[in-house]
Amino acid sequence: MASILDEYEDSQNFRQSSQQHSRLTSANIGLTHSGFVNVRLEEEKPIFNKQRIDFTPPERINHLVVCNNQLCMSLGKDTLLRIDLAKPDQPNQTELGRKDDSKVHKLFLDPTGSHLLISLSTNECLYLNRNTQKVRSLSRWRGHLIESVGWNKLLGNETSTGPILVGTSQGVIFEAEISANEGSLFNTNPDQYFRQVHSLEEDGRPAPVCCLEIERGPENKYFIIATTRKRLFQFVGKVAEGSEQQGFSTIFNQNQDLLPSFQEFPANMGYSEITFYTAKLRNFPKAFAWMMGNGVLYGQLDYVRPDSLLSDVQVWEYTPDVDIIQNKPISIVLTQFHFLLLLHDRIKAICTLNGAVVYEDVFPDKFGPLKRMIKDPIGGLVWIYTERAVFRYHIQREARDVWQMYMSMNKFDLAKEYCRDRPECMDMVLAKEAEYCFQNKRYLESAKCYAMTQNYFEEIALKFIEAKQEEALKEFLLKKLNNLKQTERTQITLLVTWLTELYLNRLGQLESDGNILIFQETREEFRQFLSSAKHRECLFNNRSTIYDLLASHGNVDDMVYFSVVMQDYERVISHHCQHDNFSATLDVLPKHCDEKLFYKFSPVLMQHIPKNVVDAWIQMGNRLDPKKLIPALMNYSQMGSTQQINETIRYMEFCVYELNVTEEAIHNYLLSLYAKYKPDSLLQYLKQAGTHPKEIYYDLKYALRLCAEHGFLQACVLVYRIMELHEEAVDLALQVDVDLAKSCADLPEDDEEMRKKLWLKIARHVVQEEKDVKKAMNCLSSCNLLKIEDILPFFPDFVTIDHFKEAICSSLEEYNKHIEELKQEMEEATESAKRIREDIQEMRNKYGVVDSQEKCAACDFPLLNRPFYLFLCGHMFHNDCLFQEVTPHLSAFKQNRLEELQKKLAATTPSTKSRNRPAPKEEGDTASLGKGMGATSREQIVSDIDDIVASECAYCGELMIKSIDKPFIDPQKFEQDKSSWL
């Protein structure tokens, strides 16, 4: 037998019917123009896609059920075919083994696809588990024709059904439980128990239980729905937590005293069927549809309502081609937005939103009449079968056209919910909602919706203008502005300017009406608009236009606010200055710390609020350049009040003493202020400024001229001293105070001749001008360079010697003392020379012992192989090794001197060192004399070389100490040595 899912055929009838029911377009909705072009690049797939299973049954199909990808069908009289749709190539065929005339009445498959109940026409029931091949009889069920089963979704599993409900043709509801286990030795039946819990009636007689459904709601609340041919019953009750295994008898017992809640319809077509829709990721159904004689009752399930589970209920009446006598509906399936109705030759899809038939598919007669339609609650596929064929429906993108239906019902929020991923549909919904709100005079809501559409901007704006709805127009423009991209600068500029005009008009109207509260709210909204960061660039680029609009409306406060937002502080400050609001000006300046504005407006502010301005300058600190503030200071210090002058001096002192400004102009200006208005501080400033020309930041010549003009002689003396014009300083100081002149006379410490000359000036002044001999004598004691004989010429002839007696005696005593000191120094020098001669003689007689195995301290070779040096510290060096160690550490001068001596030494001829030298002949006396002179010269050269190279040990002497901070490797050769190690 071929696989039941090998190949599929697309139904041609479905294509024809889908073309007949085209979807709504914007043309028949009557919307305004949209910016979207409705062009479909490819044909959309239909919602209901029928596929025929390539399967020819060996016998006629009696019944078929599908659940959890498990398909079971009854073939002929005694055959049962089971297929796992995940493994369609491995069908399982089971024989029921019935030899009587019993037929399969109905099949029931639980939600897990594990438990199959087979109801027989002989009032018997069989059970088959998915994992077994053995068909087992349910003995306790015998005698009842099973019409419906209510499965337990909570407790059912692969081995047990848990407590379930069973409805019979006699209106009796039983509670039962089936287990797949073999049981004990004495009880091999799969049915654990089978007991009656309730019975249903119609018109006082038992009525078959057509459908049963068990659902669990919140708080352990259970809902049981049972249907007969005309009635729909509801049983509601709570089951104690942990007692679910005990069954549902307690729920029926709770409703025993009251009549069960039910809905009844008059028409009777002999049976009814109820179906439910459960959304994905949910555990319980959310909607239902009940097919009965009068039509289809459908609605929502509300688990919170205490009295009834059903809500938003409505009845869809059968179309004229449906007749409950001749052309009865056979079966019903509920999807998210449709219910499918099966007739004997066709299937209809009715939208639950508007009750319209949106799809109809007619089946060919060659397959025979349609028998039943089943939906797999787990997989979601819909199955239809005849006696000779099986069909399957794929339902895809069922919600794609729902937005149109919600839109036509004016349920715009739901419509937008179902077209979020389709911008062209969202645009149509928004446009329809905007139009609907506009017609109902909900203008603000209309404006918000219009702003999100692609409709013509001009058309919408004119609608609000004609309706005189400026608030709505403003809302529309604001929303439109927020939706624009930053690259759309022209559109942004237009909207920003227009909105500014609208805000200003509104503010002016509110102000004239005296509505203060709304005026404040609107102003705050307008200011938020002006300070919007998103549109800051546009506002900045068009600020002149905004200023003109604000000025044309006379809105000064908002113009100032806008200037602050744009950081156009110059305009703000100019406004405050024009209105003589200098305090407000000074509030703006320090907050934004713009130095250029300080320089520009300080002259005006200094004239009116000098103290506050100087406080602001001081607060700014070194962020201001004091030199650029001098013009304002000088202008008002000359023509201003005493307060202005004092504040000017205060700021200059702050610059000099706190900021340590070194600009010459600042110091010169402070000097001029001190000289004119605060002379007591002039001399103190000059003293603090320093006494060395390099430490002085003011112009010395300017300071000298300024002090001379104002007669400040002591200050002039101080400047002269700094300029090292000592004679001028002493001459001017003598006009002020002799002590001041004395302090000036001692300044040239290194020039004794100058000091003596200055002190002679002081002495002459004391003698000739003050005629005070005692003071003149004090000059001798104050300066050790002056002698009595230096100042005697200044005294007049009539002065007696008594006045100089002490001075002359003191001078003579000093001469004697000086002579004695010289004698003592000569004796000490003679003694020192004597000791040196003795040390030299001792050193000549000093010697050292060198072992034959001694080695050079530098090269570690035997010492006696070459000429060597021996030092008192014990270090011994070869002659050439010592040269190599010492030469790099010598100064450039000594290196040159050493090189020169070595050249001279090489040029001289060494003298013969023979111990028995023959006596020179007479004629050779001159030659012998020359050789003797050459030997003497050579010894002198060797001695000079020794003085340079061997004056001290290379390892213990001063050279080694001086080289301690030198690197081991020459920095110039570091890279070369480094690379040699790599």
Side-chain angles (χ1 to χ4, degrees):
M1 180 172 51
S3 171
I4 199 169
L5 295 176
D6 282 346
E7 297 179 358
Y8 304 106
E9 279 185 320
D10 290 336
S11 174
Q12 298 300 323
N13 294 330
F14 177 78
R15 292 182 179 274
Q16 295 172 2
S17 60
S18 63
Q19 292 174 0
Q20 294 172 2
H21 300 279
S22 59
R23 303 195 310 167
L24 296 173
T25 62
S26 61
N28 50 34
I29 296 176
L31 301 179
T32 55
H33 297 290
S34 172
F36 289 99
V37 179
N38 191 10
V39 177
R40 296 178 182 175
L41 299 180
E42 59 181 12
E43 184 180 357
E44 290 186 344
K45 294 182 180 180
I47 295 176
F48 303 99
N49 184 16
K50 182 177 72 175
Q51 297 171 338
R52 182 195 169 199
I53 306 301
D54 184 20
F55 167 68
T56 303
E59 299 180 77
R60 63 181 178 83
I61 302 175
N62 297 324
H63 296 279
L64 184 146
V65 288
V66 181
C67 197
N68 197 21
N69 274 345
Q70 300 296 319
L71 183 146
C72 301
M73 66 174 68
S74 171
L75 302 176
K77 177 185 176 182
D78 204 40
T79 304
L80 191 66
L81 184 65
R82 293 183 296 175
I83 301 173
D84 185 352
L85 298 179
K87 304 173 183 178
D89 295 331
Q90 303 175 12
N92 179 273
Q93 186 170 326
T94 304
E95 300 297 331
L96 297 180
R98 305 294 293 185
K99 296 181 180 180
D100 52 14
D101 295 333
S102 62
K103 299 179 181 179
V104 175
H105 177 61
K106 282 187 179 180
L107 297 178
F108 305 96
L109 189 62
D110 80 309
T112 66
S114 302
H115 307 284
L116 177 65
L117 296 178
I118 308 165
S119 175
L120 301 178
S121 59
T122 56
N123 293 348
E124 293 181 82
C125 192
L126 305 178
Y127 169 72
L128 180 62
N129 190 270
R130 182 174 65 183
N131 299 323
T132 65
Q133 290 288 104
K134 183 179 179 182
V135 179
R136 303 167 71 184
S137 175
L138 302 176
S139 59
R140 292 186 175 91
W141 298 37
R142 188 174 290 118
H144 301 284
L145 182 62
I146 307 301
E147 293 286 346
S148 59
V149 176
W151 299 103
N152 194 324
K153 302 173 185 176
L154 178 64
L155 299 178
N157 52 48
E158 292 185 359
T159 60
S160 175
T161 61
I164 61 174
L165 295 178
V166 179
T168 68
S169 59
Q170 296 301 314
V172 181
I173 299 177
F174 290 91
E175 183 182 69
E177 183 176 358
I178 301 173
S179 175
N181 298 326
E182 291 296 332
S184 63
L185 178 63
F186 300 101
N187 184 16
T188 60
N189 294 328
D191 48 338
Q192 303 298 307
Y193 63 88
F194 189 77
R195 57 174 175 259
Q196 180 178 344
V197 292
H198 199 73
S199 61
L200 302 178
E201 294 181 352
E202 282 183 0
D203 302 329
R205 291 176 296 180
V209 183
C210 299
C211 294
L212 278 171
E213 183 73 17
I214 305 171
E215 294 297 338
R216 180 187 178 185
E219 300 178 356
N220 283 344
K221 196 174 184 181
Y222 278 83
F223 301 86
I224 300 174
I225 296 178
T227 64
T228 60
R229 293 165 296 189
K230 299 190 300 181
R231 291 182 178 181
L232 187 149
F233 294 86
Q234 298 181 63
F235 301 91
V236 182
K238 285 188 177 182
V239 176
E241 187 175 356
S243 62
E244 292 87 352
Q245 193 66 40
Q246 297 178 6
F248 307 103
S249 57
T250 55
I251 298 175
F252 290 101
N253 292 335
Q254 293 173 14
N255 293 270
Q256 208 168 34
D257 299 335
L258 303 173
L259 291 175
S261 173
F262 67 89
Q263 287 183 321
E264 184 176 8
F265 291 86
N268 183 0
M269 63 178 182
Y271 57 88
S272 70
E273 184 177 350
I274 191 168
T275 181
F276 298 88
Y277 168 71
T278 304
K280 292 182 178 180
L281 304 179
R282 295 189 63 176
N283 297 325
F284 43 85
K286 59 176 291 188
F288 78 98
W290 179 39
M291 181 187 70
M292 41 74 181
N294 290 88
V296 177
L297 178 73
Y298 63 96
Q300 303 297 314
L301 298 178
D302 188 352
Y303 296 89
V304 181
R305 294 179 62 184
D307 54 342
S308 176
L309 182 63
L310 312 181
S311 66
D312 299 334
V313 176
Q314 50 188 320
V315 177
W316 178 81
E317 296 182 357
Y318 295 127
T319 55
D321 60 335
V322 179
D323 184 4
I324 63 172
I325 298 175
Q326 301 295 331
N327 189 18
K328 296 180 181 181
I330 301 171
S331 190
I332 188 171
V333 164
L334 181 63
T335 64
Q336 185 178 5
F337 296 104
H338 303 85
F339 59 83
L340 305 179
L341 202 63
L342 184 70
L343 303 175
H344 73 282
D345 64 343
R346 69 190 61 199
I347 182 174
K348 288 187 176 185
I350 296 91
C351 179
T352 56
L353 299 178
N354 55 13
V357 179
V358 297
Y359 172 78
E360 186 171 354
D361 188 13
V362 180
F363 287 74
D365 294 335
K366 64 180 181 177
F367 300 117
L370 303 177
K371 298 198 68 173
R372 200 162 184 273
M373 176 171 57
I374 311 99
K375 180 184 177 184
D376 184 352
I378 307 300
L381 299 177
V382 177
W383 299 77
I384 298 175
Y385 66 94
T386 67
E387 290 183 350
R388 295 187 296 273
V390 179
F391 301 89
R392 184 170 66 178
Y393 276 90
H394 286 269
I395 302 174
Q396 52 190 2
R397 295 188 62 195
E398 184 182 1
R400 71 184 182 194
D401 294 332
V402 171
W403 65 272
Q404 294 181 350
M405 300 174 191
Y406 279 129
M407 183 176 65
S408 62
M409 298 163 63
N410 294 331
K411 296 182 179 181
F412 300 109
D413 291 337
L414 291 172
K416 288 184 281 189
E417 185 71 26
Y418 287 99
C419 61
R420 291 189 181 277
D421 56 342
R422 302 171 67 184
E424 72 282 0
C425 302
M426 178 68 77
D427 188 74
M428 295 171 65
V429 174
L430 290 170
K432 181 67 182 297
E433 183 181 5
E435 186 66 25
Y436 176 80
C437 294
F438 191 90
Q439 292 174 357
N440 289 274
K441 297 184 179 181
R442 291 155 51 190
Y443 296 110
L444 286 177
E445 297 178 29
S446 176
K448 293 177 182 178
C449 294
Y450 269 132
M452 291 186 286
T453 67
Q454 298 296 322
N455 292 6
Y456 293 145
F457 173 83
E458 300 85 351
E459 178 184 342
I460 300 170
L462 286 173
K463 287 184 70 172
F464 289 115
I465 292 174
E466 290 172 358
K468 298 181 180 180
Q469 295 296 323
E470 287 193 2
E471 281 297 310
L473 176 61
K474 183 185 69 176
E475 186 69 26
F476 169 69
L477 296 179
L478 281 172
K479 294 291 184 183
K480 205 71 178 176
L481 179 62
N482 290 331
N483 293 336
L484 290 176
K485 299 178 182 177
Q486 292 297 325
T487 54
E488 299 174 311
R489 297 184 179 180
T490 304
Q491 292 88 331
I492 292 176
T493 302
L494 171 65
L495 293 181
V496 167
T497 309
W498 195 352
L499 281 167
T500 303
E501 181 67 25
L502 289 176
Y503 272 117
L504 292 173
N505 289 337
R506 179 65 174 163
L507 288 172
Q509 182 181 355
L510 291 173
E511 189 175 13
S512 61
D513 294 343
N515 197 333
I516 299 176
L517 182 61
I518 300 179
F519 174 79
Q520 294 294 338
E521 293 177 355
T522 307
R523 166 169 281 181
E524 184 64 26
E525 183 182 346
F526 177 46
R527 291 188 172 184
Q528 289 179 0
F529 169 73
L530 292 177
S531 59
S532 171
K534 186 176 181 180
H535 311 119
R536 181 179 180 82
E537 183 181 357
C538 175
L539 289 166
F540 183 80
N541 294 334
N542 299 278
R543 60 187 183 279
S544 58
T545 304
I546 305 297
Y547 283 136
D548 293 340
L549 287 173
L550 291 166
S552 65
H553 286 267
N555 196 330
V556 178
D557 294 338
D558 289 323
M559 183 172 68
V560 173
Y561 176 82
F562 180 67
S563 301
V564 174
V565 171
M566 293 292 103
Q567 297 184 356
D568 190 1
Y569 304 120
E570 184 174 354
R571 184 181 293 270
V572 178
I573 296 170
S574 298
H575 168 78
H576 289 319
C577 289
Q578 289 172 3
H579 292 79
D580 295 336
N581 192 358
F582 302 107
S583 298
T585 302
L586 206 57
D587 290 339
V588 175
L589 274 175
K591 289 180 181 179
H592 307 288
C593 303
D594 190 344
E595 297 83 1
K596 295 181 181 179
L597 297 180
F598 270 98
Y599 303 145
K600 182 174 182 178
F601 292 98
S602 288
V604 179
L605 297 175
M606 191 67 187
Q607 185 178 7
H608 296 88
I609 48 172
K611 183 179 185 305
N612 297 339
V613 174
V614 171
D615 289 340
W617 289 348
I618 292 174
Q619 185 179 359
M620 288 290 290
N622 54 11
R623 284 175 287 183
L624 292 179
D625 186 358
K627 188 168 61 175
K628 296 183 179 180
L629 294 172
I630 288 179
L633 295 171
M634 293 184 68
N635 185 18
Y636 295 105
S637 65
Q638 292 175 5
M639 54 184 293
S641 63
T642 304
Q643 184 185 11
Q644 295 173 7
I645 296 169
N646 291 336
E647 293 303 324
T648 302
I649 294 175
R650 181 164 74 97
Y651 181 67
M652 289 290 101
E653 289 176 343
F654 170 77
C655 294
V656 171
Y657 298 123
E658 299 294 334
L659 299 182
N660 298 320
V661 175
T662 58
E663 294 286 344
E664 187 178 277
I666 300 298
H667 289 265
N668 288 344
Y669 184 49
L670 181 59
L671 270 176
S672 66
L673 290 173
Y674 279 152
K676 293 179 182 178
Y677 306 108
K678 204 173 181 182
D680 297 339
S681 302
L682 177 62
L683 190 60
Q684 181 181 0
Y685 166 76
L686 292 174
K687 291 178 179 178
Q688 290 180 352
T691 57
H692 196 278
K694 293 182 179 180
E695 301 173 353
I696 304 300
Y697 299 115
Y698 57 84
D699 188 348
L700 289 169
K701 294 180 180 179
Y702 173 76
L704 183 61
R705 184 172 68 252
L706 193 65
C707 294
E709 288 177 357
H710 292 84
F712 301 133
L713 299 182
Q714 192 172 355
C716 291
V717 171
L718 184 57
V719 175
Y720 275 133
R721 291 174 59 176
I722 297 171
M723 297 174 68
E724 297 183 356
L725 299 175
H726 304 295
E727 291 189 44
E728 290 81 352
V730 171
D731 291 340
L732 193 58
L734 289 174
Q735 301 179 25
V736 179
D737 185 17
V738 175
D739 293 334
L740 180 61
K742 290 179 180 180
S743 63
C744 295
D746 284 331
L747 290 178
E749 297 176 356
D750 299 333
D751 191 350
E752 294 185 353
E753 184 179 353
M754 175 60 70
R755 283 178 60 200
K756 185 176 182 180
K757 182 178 180 182
L758 297 177
W759 276 101
L760 287 174
K761 281 179 175 285
I762 296 172
R764 177 181 293 175
H765 174 79
V766 170
V767 173
Q768 296 180 354
E769 300 295 333
E770 297 185 8
K771 296 181 174 58
D772 190 341
V773 179
K774 190 174 182 180
K775 268 188 180 182
M777 294 300 102
N778 290 337
C779 290
L780 293 177
S781 62
S782 299
C783 180
N784 55 2
L785 300 178
L786 291 182
K787 306 296 180 185
I788 186 62
E789 58 268 24
D790 295 329
I791 63 173
L792 284 176
F794 302 147
F795 289 97
D797 297 338
F798 58 84
V799 176
T800 61
I801 196 171
D802 294 339
H803 294 89
F804 313 110
K805 180 178 179 181
E806 293 181 3
I808 293 172
C809 292
S810 176
S811 179
L812 292 174
E813 289 177 359
E814 287 182 4
Y815 281 130
N816 290 332
K817 185 177 179 181
H818 185 60
I819 291 170
E820 291 296 328
E821 289 176 354
L822 290 176
K823 286 181 179 179
Q824 185 176 357
E825 288 177 2
M826 291 174 64
E827 291 176 358
E828 290 176 355
T830 304
E831 184 65 26
S832 177
K834 181 180 177 182
R835 287 197 297 271
I836 290 172
R837 284 193 297 271
E838 291 176 354
D839 290 343
I840 291 172
Q841 187 62 35
E842 183 181 355
M843 287 296 296
R844 286 178 179 174
N845 298 328
K846 202 165 187 179
Y847 65 92
V849 178
V850 178
D851 196 293
S852 62
Q853 296 180 352
E854 292 289 347
K855 296 181 180 181
C856 174
C859 67
D860 204 29
F861 279 92
L863 185 68
L864 300 178
N865 289 351
R866 301 196 301 272
F868 63 90
Y869 286 94
L870 172 63
F871 292 94
L872 295 177
C873 61
H875 286 114
M876 292 169 278
F877 299 90
H878 288 134
N879 188 7
D880 54 342
C881 292
L882 183 63
F883 271 65
Q884 291 178 2
E885 289 289 336
V886 174
T887 303
H889 300 285
L890 297 176
S891 63
F893 172 76
K894 288 188 176 182
Q895 288 182 2
N896 295 334
R897 174 64 177 161
L898 181 61
E899 185 178 355
E900 181 181 349
L901 291 173
Q902 286 177 332
K903 290 179 179 178
K904 288 183 179 180
L905 181 62
T908 59
T909 302
S911 60
T912 304
K913 295 186 179 181
S914 175
R915 184 172 295 180
N916 300 316
R917 179 181 302 173
K921 298 180 181 179
E922 294 180 1
E923 59 269 19
D925 289 345
T926 304
S928 297
L929 183 60
K931 289 181 179 180
M933 292 178 64
T936 303
S937 176
R938 178 181 176 82
E939 290 177 358
Q940 182 63 39
I941 294 172
V942 172
S943 178
D944 292 341
I945 292 176
D946 290 343
D947 291 340
I948 296 175
V949 177
S951 61
E952 59 182 355
C953 178
Y955 286 175
C956 303
E958 188 178 354
L959 288 177
M960 185 57 66
I961 296 173
K962 288 183 178 179
S963 66
I964 194 170
D965 60 341
K966 292 185 179 180
F968 291 108
I969 301 175
D970 189 354
Q972 298 179 354
K973 299 180 180 180
F974 178 77
E975 292 298 333
Q976 180 180 355
D977 293 345
K978 179 181 176 182
S979 60
S980 66
W981 282 82
L982 298 177

